[in-house]
Amino acid sequence: LYLSVLEAMDLQLGIMFDYVKSHPELHDNTLIIICSDNGPEKGAGRATPFRGFKTHLYEGGIRSPLIVWGPSMMEKSMVGTRNKDSVFSAIDLVPSLIRLTGSGNPMAQAYDGEEVLDTLLGKSRQSRKEPIFFSRPPDRKNFYGFKNLPDLAMRQGKWKLLCDYDGGRPELYDISSDPGETNNLAQEQLGTAQELADKVVSWHRTMPHMQDSDDSN
């Protein structure tokens, strides 16, 4: 019997949910978070109305669903609803879960993530305050029929910027009104485009790089 990834996930998650629900000590003391690390592969799903696919830095490649289940912990009025407003990253889960568990940070680790537990539990619609940065897989400059793809991207408030490693060829979108990234505002908003390009290029220079990631493409 061959099962797709989603079918296998559905089967295994069903077993887990049944187990947690049937044990009162777990049902009232468990938070289950289901998320993806990227958008769909071409031909294996769709990200409409978003542009692009897995490995792309357009929203169709980096925006992904998040499901949070924990009836005893959630804001009751928010159970079964969808939050379409809050913006944060998977890196924000670590400090959020540390707060939830009360485990603290005994080794005084510095986290890139921000604590957004109240948002996860439906008690707030707070978004991450700091920018979110992205780097394209270094071997995917041309992929799924898209040519000369941007190398870097960042999200700050309503703005989404994409550019090359040197900050060139900037694309600037107001994601709040243009989630499909169809209207490049880089020329109209030169100051904002330059500011965000400088930020994402500076961030990328601090990151460990895969061999030839800056030069081979």
Side-chain angles (χ1 to χ4, degrees):
L1 175 65
Y2 173 79
L3 295 177
S4 70
V5 173
L6 291 179
E7 288 172 328
M9 282 180 57
D10 188 52
L11 175 63
Q12 298 302 323
L13 289 172
I15 294 171
M16 178 181 67
F17 273 103
D18 288 344
Y19 185 85
V20 171
K21 289 178 179 179
S22 64
H23 291 74
E25 71 278 12
L26 295 178
H27 182 277
D28 297 330
N29 194 37
T30 301
L31 188 72
I32 298 176
I33 298 176
I34 303 170
C35 59
S36 174
D37 59 348
N38 49 248
E41 292 195 30
K42 188 175 182 180
R46 59 186 183 275
T48 308
F50 308 118
R51 177 181 179 184
F53 301 95
K54 176 181 178 179
T55 79
H56 294 172
L57 298 182
Y58 296 109
E59 291 294 282
I62 61 177
R63 188 182 294 213
S64 58
L66 173 73
I67 300 172
V68 181
W69 182 91
S72 65
M73 303 180 193
M74 304 288 291
E75 174 67 32
K76 301 307 180 186
S77 64
M78 299 304 292
V79 172
T81 67
R82 179 186 293 182
N83 178 353
K84 297 182 179 181
D85 303 319
S86 304
V87 177
F88 54 86
S89 171
I91 60 176
D92 299 318
L93 295 179
V94 172
S96 302
L97 296 178
I98 285 176
R99 177 188 162 196
L100 175 70
T101 60
S103 55
N105 185 5
M107 301 191 67
Q109 296 290 327
Y111 296 108
D112 292 325
E114 297 180 15
E115 190 262 295
V116 291
L117 179 61
D118 286 348
T119 303
L120 289 174
L121 298 182
K123 299 176 181 179
S124 169
R125 289 186 179 270
Q126 176 182 335
S127 292
R128 174 184 171 88
K129 294 182 176 64
E130 293 298 313
I132 307 174
F133 298 105
F134 306 89
S135 177
R136 174 186 52 75
D139 60 337
R140 307 293 169 87
K141 186 68 171 175
N142 306 298
F143 206 64
Y144 285 145
F146 289 68
K147 302 296 183 182
N148 202 19
L149 289 161
D151 303 319
L152 305 174
M154 69 171 291
R155 174 74 184 267
Q156 180 173 289
K158 69 177 184 177
W159 295 114
K160 166 83 174 291
L161 179 108
L162 304 96
C163 65
D164 287 334
Y165 289 125
D166 61 0
R169 297 193 307 126
E171 299 177 32
L172 180 69
Y173 302 100
D174 179 348
I175 294 298
S176 63
S177 63
D178 181 25
E181 295 167 290
T182 61
N183 185 22
N184 182 1
L185 301 174
Q187 294 303 311
E188 297 177 29
Q189 301 285 341
L190 288 173
T192 299
Q194 187 62 59
E195 175 192 350
L196 300 188
D198 290 345
K199 284 184 178 181
V200 71
V201 169
S202 295
W203 164 80
H204 183 251
R205 288 173 178 163
T206 70
M207 293 293 103
H209 293 168
M210 297 178 67
Q211 185 176 5
D212 295 330
S213 65
D214 285 355
D215 303 321
S216 62
N217 295 304

mmCIF file of all heavy atoms in Angstrom, residues 39-40 46-63 144 146-150 160 162 169 171-173 175 178-185:
data_model
loop_
_atom_site.group_PDB
_atom_site.id
_atom_site.type_symbol
_atom_site.label_atom_id
_atom_site.label_comp_id
_atom_site.label_asym_id
_atom_site.label_seq_id
_atom_site.Cartn_x
_atom_site.Cartn_y
_atom_site.Cartn_z
ATOM 1 N N GLY A 39 6.271 26.183 1.082
ATOM 2 C CA GLY A 39 5.087 26.006 0.266
ATOM 3 C C GLY A 39 5.159 24.732 -0.554
ATOM 4 O O GLY A 39 6.106 23.945 -0.438
ATOM 5 N N PRO A 40 4.199 24.511 -1.445
ATOM 6 C CA PRO A 40 4.099 23.251 -2.179
ATOM 7 C C PRO A 40 5.097 23.137 -3.324
ATOM 8 O O PRO A 40 5.517 24.133 -3.898
ATOM 9 C CB PRO A 40 2.672 23.293 -2.727
ATOM 10 C CG PRO A 40 2.390 24.753 -2.913
ATOM 11 C CD PRO A 40 3.076 25.430 -1.768
ATOM 12 N N ARG A 46 -0.954 23.693 -4.510
ATOM 13 C CA ARG A 46 -1.057 25.060 -5.013
ATOM 14 C C ARG A 46 -1.044 26.019 -3.829
ATOM 15 O O ARG A 46 -1.473 25.676 -2.735
ATOM 16 C CB ARG A 46 -2.332 25.239 -5.837
ATOM 17 C CG ARG A 46 -3.611 24.948 -5.099
ATOM 18 C CD ARG A 46 -4.812 25.006 -6.024
ATOM 19 N NE ARG A 46 -6.065 24.799 -5.315
ATOM 20 C CZ ARG A 46 -6.568 23.611 -5.042
ATOM 21 N NH1 ARG A 46 -5.928 22.514 -5.431
ATOM 22 N NH2 ARG A 46 -7.711 23.502 -4.383
ATOM 23 N N ALA A 47 -0.583 27.212 -4.088
ATOM 24 C CA ALA A 47 -0.489 28.223 -3.039
ATOM 25 C C ALA A 47 -1.336 29.445 -3.368
ATOM 26 O O ALA A 47 -1.121 30.512 -2.792
ATOM 27 C CB ALA A 47 0.974 28.635 -2.845
ATOM 28 N N THR A 48 -2.266 29.306 -4.277
ATOM 29 C CA THR A 48 -3.123 30.408 -4.698
ATOM 30 C C THR A 48 -3.674 31.161 -3.488
ATOM 31 O O THR A 48 -4.121 30.533 -2.532
ATOM 32 C CB THR A 48 -4.300 29.871 -5.532
ATOM 33 O OG1 THR A 48 -3.793 29.041 -6.570
ATOM 34 C CG2 THR A 48 -5.119 30.983 -6.136
ATOM 35 N N PRO A 49 -3.594 32.491 -3.471
ATOM 36 C CA PRO A 49 -3.245 33.407 -4.562
ATOM 37 C C PRO A 49 -1.775 33.797 -4.586
ATOM 38 O O PRO A 49 -1.400 34.769 -5.234
ATOM 39 C CB PRO A 49 -4.089 34.633 -4.214
ATOM 40 C CG PRO A 49 -4.044 34.680 -2.724
ATOM 41 C CD PRO A 49 -4.066 33.238 -2.287
ATOM 42 N N PHE A 50 -0.951 33.054 -3.884
ATOM 43 C CA PHE A 50 0.450 33.448 -3.749
ATOM 44 C C PHE A 50 1.284 32.997 -4.938
ATOM 45 O O PHE A 50 0.967 32.028 -5.617
ATOM 46 C CB PHE A 50 1.026 32.894 -2.442
ATOM 47 C CG PHE A 50 0.197 33.237 -1.249
ATOM 48 C CD1 PHE A 50 -0.402 32.245 -0.483
ATOM 49 C CD2 PHE A 50 -0.025 34.560 -0.909
ATOM 50 C CE1 PHE A 50 -1.190 32.562 0.612
ATOM 51 C CE2 PHE A 50 -0.806 34.895 0.188
ATOM 52 C CZ PHE A 50 -1.394 33.889 0.946
ATOM 53 N N ARG A 51 2.365 33.681 -5.142
ATOM 54 C CA ARG A 51 3.260 33.465 -6.283
ATOM 55 C C ARG A 51 4.387 32.506 -5.892
ATOM 56 O O ARG A 51 4.941 32.598 -4.807
ATOM 57 C CB ARG A 51 3.840 34.813 -6.685
ATOM 58 C CG ARG A 51 4.860 34.822 -7.802
ATOM 59 C CD ARG A 51 5.328 36.254 -8.014
ATOM 60 N NE ARG A 51 6.333 36.385 -9.049
ATOM 61 C CZ ARG A 51 6.934 37.533 -9.350
ATOM 62 N NH1 ARG A 51 6.604 38.645 -8.705
ATOM 63 N NH2 ARG A 51 7.851 37.580 -10.310
ATOM 64 N N GLY A 52 4.730 31.593 -6.794
ATOM 65 C CA GLY A 52 5.892 30.746 -6.577
ATOM 66 C C GLY A 52 5.589 29.428 -5.888
ATOM 67 O O GLY A 52 4.444 29.120 -5.530
ATOM 68 N N PHE A 53 6.664 28.642 -5.699
ATOM 69 C CA PHE A 53 6.572 27.300 -5.140
ATOM 70 C C PHE A 53 7.714 27.072 -4.153
ATOM 71 O O PHE A 53 8.497 27.971 -3.881
ATOM 72 C CB PHE A 53 6.649 26.253 -6.261
ATOM 73 C CG PHE A 53 5.567 26.386 -7.294
ATOM 74 C CD1 PHE A 53 5.780 27.102 -8.467
ATOM 75 C CD2 PHE A 53 4.328 25.793 -7.085
ATOM 76 C CE1 PHE A 53 4.781 27.222 -9.413
ATOM 77 C CE2 PHE A 53 3.324 25.919 -8.035
ATOM 78 C CZ PHE A 53 3.552 26.628 -9.201
ATOM 79 N N LYS A 54 7.790 25.864 -3.647
ATOM 80 C CA LYS A 54 8.873 25.464 -2.753
ATOM 81 C C LYS A 54 10.231 25.874 -3.339
ATOM 82 O O LYS A 54 10.458 25.744 -4.540
ATOM 83 C CB LYS A 54 8.822 23.946 -2.563
ATOM 84 C CG LYS A 54 9.946 23.374 -1.729
ATOM 85 C CD LYS A 54 9.808 21.861 -1.620
ATOM 86 C CE LYS A 54 10.966 21.269 -0.832
ATOM 87 N NZ LYS A 54 10.849 19.792 -0.699
ATOM 88 N N THR A 55 11.112 26.359 -2.494
ATOM 89 C CA THR A 55 12.469 26.857 -2.782
ATOM 90 C C THR A 55 12.473 28.294 -3.288
ATOM 91 O O THR A 55 13.529 28.915 -3.346
ATOM 92 C CB THR A 55 13.272 25.992 -3.770
ATOM 93 O OG1 THR A 55 12.861 26.254 -5.103
ATOM 94 C CG2 THR A 55 13.171 24.518 -3.442
ATOM 95 N N HIS A 56 11.312 28.846 -3.669
ATOM 96 C CA HIS A 56 11.240 30.245 -4.071
ATOM 97 C C HIS A 56 11.083 31.127 -2.847
ATOM 98 O O HIS A 56 10.554 30.709 -1.812
ATOM 99 C CB HIS A 56 10.046 30.478 -5.000
ATOM 100 C CG HIS A 56 10.162 29.774 -6.311
ATOM 101 N ND1 HIS A 56 9.120 29.718 -7.216
ATOM 102 C CD2 HIS A 56 11.182 29.102 -6.889
ATOM 103 C CE1 HIS A 56 9.502 29.042 -8.295
ATOM 104 N NE2 HIS A 56 10.748 28.656 -8.113
ATOM 105 N N LEU A 57 11.512 32.365 -2.967
ATOM 106 C CA LEU A 57 11.353 33.325 -1.876
ATOM 107 C C LEU A 57 10.078 34.150 -2.003
ATOM 108 O O LEU A 57 9.799 34.981 -1.140
ATOM 109 C CB LEU A 57 12.573 34.253 -1.805
ATOM 110 C CG LEU A 57 13.903 33.555 -1.511
ATOM 111 C CD1 LEU A 57 15.032 34.574 -1.413
ATOM 112 C CD2 LEU A 57 13.818 32.731 -0.228
ATOM 113 N N TYR A 58 9.313 33.935 -3.069
ATOM 114 C CA TYR A 58 7.999 34.545 -3.147
ATOM 115 C C TYR A 58 7.086 33.851 -2.132
ATOM 116 O O TYR A 58 7.391 32.759 -1.623
ATOM 117 C CB TYR A 58 7.449 34.446 -4.565
ATOM 118 C CG TYR A 58 8.263 35.223 -5.573
ATOM 119 C CD1 TYR A 58 9.053 34.579 -6.531
ATOM 120 C CD2 TYR A 58 8.280 36.615 -5.541
ATOM 121 C CE1 TYR A 58 9.820 35.295 -7.432
ATOM 122 C CE2 TYR A 58 9.044 37.346 -6.452
ATOM 123 C CZ TYR A 58 9.816 36.681 -7.383
ATOM 124 O OH TYR A 58 10.586 37.409 -8.269
ATOM 125 N N GLU A 59 5.945 34.478 -1.832
ATOM 126 C CA GLU A 59 5.098 33.999 -0.751
ATOM 127 C C GLU A 59 4.665 32.544 -0.929
ATOM 128 O O GLU A 59 4.498 31.815 0.055
ATOM 129 C CB GLU A 59 3.867 34.894 -0.606
ATOM 130 C CG GLU A 59 4.161 36.285 -0.091
ATOM 131 C CD GLU A 59 4.668 36.269 1.340
ATOM 132 O OE1 GLU A 59 3.862 36.110 2.267
ATOM 133 O OE2 GLU A 59 5.898 36.431 1.526
ATOM 134 N N GLY A 60 4.483 32.107 -2.177
ATOM 135 C CA GLY A 60 4.089 30.729 -2.406
ATOM 136 C C GLY A 60 5.142 29.728 -1.971
ATOM 137 O O GLY A 60 4.840 28.550 -1.769
ATOM 138 N N GLY A 61 6.376 30.188 -1.830
ATOM 139 C CA GLY A 61 7.454 29.297 -1.404
ATOM 140 C C GLY A 61 7.726 29.327 0.080
ATOM 141 O O GLY A 61 8.187 28.330 0.651
ATOM 142 N N ILE A 62 7.461 30.466 0.729
ATOM 143 C CA ILE A 62 7.848 30.592 2.138
ATOM 144 C C ILE A 62 6.669 30.694 3.099
ATOM 145 O O ILE A 62 6.836 30.450 4.296
ATOM 146 C CB ILE A 62 8.771 31.806 2.356
ATOM 147 C CG1 ILE A 62 8.067 33.106 1.971
ATOM 148 C CG2 ILE A 62 10.069 31.641 1.579
ATOM 149 C CD1 ILE A 62 8.892 34.348 2.240
ATOM 150 N N ARG A 63 5.495 31.049 2.611
ATOM 151 C CA ARG A 63 4.339 31.128 3.512
ATOM 152 C C ARG A 63 3.761 29.733 3.654
ATOM 153 O O ARG A 63 3.550 29.030 2.672
ATOM 154 C CB ARG A 63 3.284 32.083 2.966
ATOM 155 C CG ARG A 63 2.168 32.348 3.958
ATOM 156 C CD ARG A 63 1.088 33.255 3.392
ATOM 157 N NE ARG A 63 1.530 34.602 3.115
ATOM 158 C CZ ARG A 63 0.754 35.680 3.224
ATOM 159 N NH1 ARG A 63 -0.493 35.540 3.649
ATOM 160 N NH2 ARG A 63 1.224 36.877 2.918
ATOM 161 N N TYR A 144 11.786 25.442 -11.445
ATOM 162 C CA TYR A 144 10.373 25.342 -11.782
ATOM 163 C C TYR A 144 9.985 26.309 -12.898
ATOM 164 O O TYR A 144 8.883 26.859 -12.915
ATOM 165 C CB TYR A 144 9.498 25.617 -10.563
ATOM 166 C CG TYR A 144 9.447 24.487 -9.561
ATOM 167 C CD1 TYR A 144 9.362 24.748 -8.192
ATOM 168 C CD2 TYR A 144 9.451 23.153 -9.961
ATOM 169 C CE1 TYR A 144 9.300 23.730 -7.264
ATOM 170 C CE2 TYR A 144 9.399 22.128 -9.040
ATOM 171 C CZ TYR A 144 9.320 22.420 -7.687
ATOM 172 O OH TYR A 144 9.251 21.393 -6.770
ATOM 173 N N PHE A 146 11.162 29.250 -13.432
ATOM 174 C CA PHE A 146 11.471 30.635 -13.084
ATOM 175 C C PHE A 146 12.962 30.858 -13.308
ATOM 176 O O PHE A 146 13.787 30.051 -12.870
ATOM 177 C CB PHE A 146 11.137 30.920 -11.616
ATOM 178 C CG PHE A 146 9.669 30.977 -11.317
ATOM 179 C CD1 PHE A 146 8.878 29.836 -11.396
ATOM 180 C CD2 PHE A 146 9.075 32.169 -10.923
ATOM 181 C CE1 PHE A 146 7.530 29.878 -11.100
ATOM 182 C CE2 PHE A 146 7.720 32.225 -10.618
ATOM 183 C CZ PHE A 146 6.946 31.078 -10.711
ATOM 184 N N LYS A 147 13.342 31.951 -13.960
ATOM 185 C CA LYS A 147 14.728 32.234 -14.274
ATOM 186 C C LYS A 147 15.269 33.380 -13.420
ATOM 187 O O LYS A 147 14.556 34.334 -13.121
ATOM 188 C CB LYS A 147 14.873 32.607 -15.763
ATOM 189 C CG LYS A 147 14.387 31.541 -16.732
ATOM 190 C CD LYS A 147 15.207 30.261 -16.625
ATOM 191 C CE LYS A 147 14.760 29.236 -17.657
ATOM 192 N NZ LYS A 147 15.522 27.970 -17.543
ATOM 193 N N ASN A 148 16.552 33.247 -13.037
ATOM 194 C CA ASN A 148 17.261 34.326 -12.346
ATOM 195 C C ASN A 148 16.489 34.804 -11.117
ATOM 196 O O ASN A 148 16.214 35.991 -10.942
ATOM 197 C CB ASN A 148 17.502 35.496 -13.304
ATOM 198 C CG ASN A 148 18.655 36.379 -12.850
ATOM 199 O OD1 ASN A 148 19.499 35.970 -12.055
ATOM 200 N ND2 ASN A 148 18.700 37.598 -13.351
ATOM 201 N N LEU A 149 16.163 33.864 -10.260
ATOM 202 C CA LEU A 149 15.371 34.162 -9.067
ATOM 203 C C LEU A 149 16.143 35.028 -8.071
ATOM 204 O O LEU A 149 17.377 34.977 -8.018
ATOM 205 C CB LEU A 149 14.958 32.854 -8.386
ATOM 206 C CG LEU A 149 13.904 32.027 -9.127
ATOM 207 C CD1 LEU A 149 13.910 30.592 -8.632
ATOM 208 C CD2 LEU A 149 12.525 32.650 -8.937
ATOM 209 N N PRO A 150 15.441 35.817 -7.259
ATOM 210 C CA PRO A 150 16.123 36.593 -6.211
ATOM 211 C C PRO A 150 16.844 35.661 -5.232
ATOM 212 O O PRO A 150 16.416 34.526 -5.002
ATOM 213 C CB PRO A 150 14.982 37.344 -5.519
ATOM 214 C CG PRO A 150 13.850 37.332 -6.495
ATOM 215 C CD PRO A 150 13.991 36.066 -7.278
ATOM 216 N N LYS A 160 7.574 43.582 1.877
ATOM 217 C CA LYS A 160 8.343 42.387 1.520
ATOM 218 C C LYS A 160 9.338 42.806 0.439
ATOM 219 O O LYS A 160 8.957 43.360 -0.593
ATOM 220 C CB LYS A 160 7.399 41.311 0.979
ATOM 221 C CG LYS A 160 8.053 40.131 0.254
ATOM 222 C CD LYS A 160 8.539 39.075 1.205
ATOM 223 C CE LYS A 160 9.053 37.853 0.423
ATOM 224 N NZ LYS A 160 7.962 37.123 -0.258
ATOM 225 N N LEU A 162 12.675 41.553 -2.020
ATOM 226 C CA LEU A 162 13.510 40.496 -2.575
ATOM 227 C C LEU A 162 14.629 41.149 -3.360
ATOM 228 O O LEU A 162 14.426 42.191 -4.007
ATOM 229 C CB LEU A 162 12.713 39.567 -3.490
ATOM 230 C CG LEU A 162 11.480 38.889 -2.889
ATOM 231 C CD1 LEU A 162 10.224 39.679 -3.210
ATOM 232 C CD2 LEU A 162 11.336 37.454 -3.385
ATOM 233 N N ARG A 169 18.704 44.399 -8.180
ATOM 234 C CA ARG A 169 17.412 43.963 -8.711
ATOM 235 C C ARG A 169 16.338 43.882 -7.613
ATOM 236 O O ARG A 169 15.646 42.876 -7.473
ATOM 237 C CB ARG A 169 17.527 42.622 -9.415
ATOM 238 C CG ARG A 169 18.434 42.623 -10.630
ATOM 239 C CD ARG A 169 18.287 41.376 -11.483
ATOM 240 N NE ARG A 169 18.445 40.160 -10.703
ATOM 241 C CZ ARG A 169 17.559 39.170 -10.657
ATOM 242 N NH1 ARG A 169 16.429 39.236 -11.345
ATOM 243 N NH2 ARG A 169 17.780 38.086 -9.924
ATOM 244 N N GLU A 171 12.983 43.971 -5.513
ATOM 245 C CA GLU A 171 11.535 43.898 -5.722
ATOM 246 C C GLU A 171 10.890 44.207 -4.375
ATOM 247 O O GLU A 171 11.217 43.574 -3.373
ATOM 248 C CB GLU A 171 11.114 42.508 -6.195
ATOM 249 C CG GLU A 171 11.730 42.080 -7.512
ATOM 250 C CD GLU A 171 11.328 40.673 -7.902
ATOM 251 O OE1 GLU A 171 10.185 40.261 -7.557
ATOM 252 O OE2 GLU A 171 12.139 39.961 -8.515
ATOM 253 N N LEU A 172 10.001 45.181 -4.361
ATOM 254 C CA LEU A 172 9.355 45.602 -3.119
ATOM 255 C C LEU A 172 7.844 45.483 -3.267
ATOM 256 O O LEU A 172 7.267 46.020 -4.219
ATOM 257 C CB LEU A 172 9.738 47.048 -2.785
ATOM 258 C CG LEU A 172 9.134 47.627 -1.507
ATOM 259 C CD1 LEU A 172 9.728 46.944 -0.270
ATOM 260 C CD2 LEU A 172 9.363 49.137 -1.444
ATOM 261 N N TYR A 173 7.220 44.802 -2.330
ATOM 262 C CA TYR A 173 5.775 44.594 -2.387
ATOM 263 C C TYR A 173 5.127 44.966 -1.054
ATOM 264 O O TYR A 173 5.700 44.725 0.016
ATOM 265 C CB TYR A 173 5.449 43.127 -2.707
ATOM 266 C CG TYR A 173 6.051 42.654 -3.999
ATOM 267 C CD1 TYR A 173 7.222 41.901 -4.010
ATOM 268 C CD2 TYR A 173 5.468 42.977 -5.221
ATOM 269 C CE1 TYR A 173 7.795 41.478 -5.198
ATOM 270 C CE2 TYR A 173 6.033 42.553 -6.414
ATOM 271 C CZ TYR A 173 7.197 41.807 -6.403
ATOM 272 O OH TYR A 173 7.765 41.397 -7.584
ATOM 273 N N ILE A 175 2.703 43.614 1.021
ATOM 274 C CA ILE A 175 2.043 42.319 1.136
ATOM 275 C C ILE A 175 0.632 42.445 1.696
ATOM 276 O O ILE A 175 -0.243 41.619 1.417
ATOM 277 C CB ILE A 175 2.893 41.367 2.007
ATOM 278 C CG1 ILE A 175 4.209 41.042 1.295
ATOM 279 C CG2 ILE A 175 2.152 40.078 2.312
ATOM 280 C CD1 ILE A 175 4.041 40.325 -0.021
ATOM 281 N N ASP A 178 -1.141 43.429 -1.494
ATOM 282 C CA ASP A 178 -0.717 42.724 -2.710
ATOM 283 C C ASP A 178 -0.052 41.400 -2.345
ATOM 284 O O ASP A 178 1.133 41.192 -2.583
ATOM 285 C CB ASP A 178 0.256 43.619 -3.502
ATOM 286 C CG ASP A 178 0.741 42.987 -4.798
ATOM 287 O OD1 ASP A 178 0.025 42.119 -5.342
ATOM 288 O OD2 ASP A 178 1.849 43.360 -5.253
ATOM 289 N N PRO A 179 -0.801 40.477 -1.729
ATOM 290 C CA PRO A 179 -0.198 39.207 -1.295
ATOM 291 C C PRO A 179 0.325 38.360 -2.444
ATOM 292 O O PRO A 179 1.171 37.497 -2.242
ATOM 293 C CB PRO A 179 -1.337 38.508 -0.555
ATOM 294 C CG PRO A 179 -2.582 39.109 -1.104
ATOM 295 C CD PRO A 179 -2.238 40.541 -1.406
ATOM 296 N N GLY A 180 -0.173 38.616 -3.662
ATOM 297 C CA GLY A 180 0.291 37.862 -4.816
ATOM 298 C C GLY A 180 1.571 38.397 -5.424
ATOM 299 O O GLY A 180 2.076 37.840 -6.400
ATOM 300 N N GLU A 181 2.119 39.476 -4.845
ATOM 301 C CA GLU A 181 3.383 40.072 -5.302
ATOM 302 C C GLU A 181 3.366 40.353 -6.807
ATOM 303 O O GLU A 181 4.200 39.874 -7.568
ATOM 304 C CB GLU A 181 4.557 39.164 -4.928
ATOM 305 C CG GLU A 181 4.742 39.048 -3.424
ATOM 306 C CD GLU A 181 5.676 37.929 -3.009
ATOM 307 O OE1 GLU A 181 5.284 36.741 -3.166
ATOM 308 O OE2 GLU A 181 6.781 38.224 -2.533
ATOM 309 N N THR A 182 2.401 41.159 -7.201
ATOM 310 C CA THR A 182 2.247 41.496 -8.614
ATOM 311 C C THR A 182 2.704 42.913 -8.946
ATOM 312 O O THR A 182 2.971 43.207 -10.107
ATOM 313 C CB THR A 182 0.771 41.352 -9.039
ATOM 314 O OG1 THR A 182 -0.032 42.251 -8.266
ATOM 315 C CG2 THR A 182 0.283 39.932 -8.825
ATOM 316 N N ASN A 183 2.782 43.793 -7.954
ATOM 317 C CA ASN A 183 3.081 45.205 -8.195
ATOM 318 C C ASN A 183 4.374 45.601 -7.485
ATOM 319 O O ASN A 183 4.379 45.899 -6.291
ATOM 320 C CB ASN A 183 1.918 46.076 -7.700
ATOM 321 C CG ASN A 183 2.107 47.546 -8.028
ATOM 322 O OD1 ASN A 183 2.864 47.899 -8.939
ATOM 323 N ND2 ASN A 183 1.444 48.416 -7.286
ATOM 324 N N ASN A 184 5.471 45.585 -8.229
ATOM 325 C CA ASN A 184 6.792 45.914 -7.680
ATOM 326 C C ASN A 184 6.886 47.423 -7.454
ATOM 327 O O ASN A 184 6.872 48.207 -8.401
ATOM 328 C CB ASN A 184 7.879 45.445 -8.648
ATOM 329 C CG ASN A 184 9.284 45.702 -8.126
ATOM 330 O OD1 ASN A 184 9.475 46.225 -7.019
ATOM 331 N ND2 ASN A 184 10.288 45.332 -8.907
ATOM 332 N N LEU A 185 7.025 47.834 -6.190
ATOM 333 C CA LEU A 185 7.049 49.246 -5.820
ATOM 334 C C LEU A 185 8.458 49.776 -5.576
ATOM 335 O O LEU A 185 8.621 50.867 -5.018
ATOM 336 C CB LEU A 185 6.200 49.458 -4.559
ATOM 337 C CG LEU A 185 4.723 49.062 -4.658
ATOM 338 C CD1 LEU A 185 4.057 49.197 -3.293
ATOM 339 C CD2 LEU A 185 4.006 49.910 -5.694
#
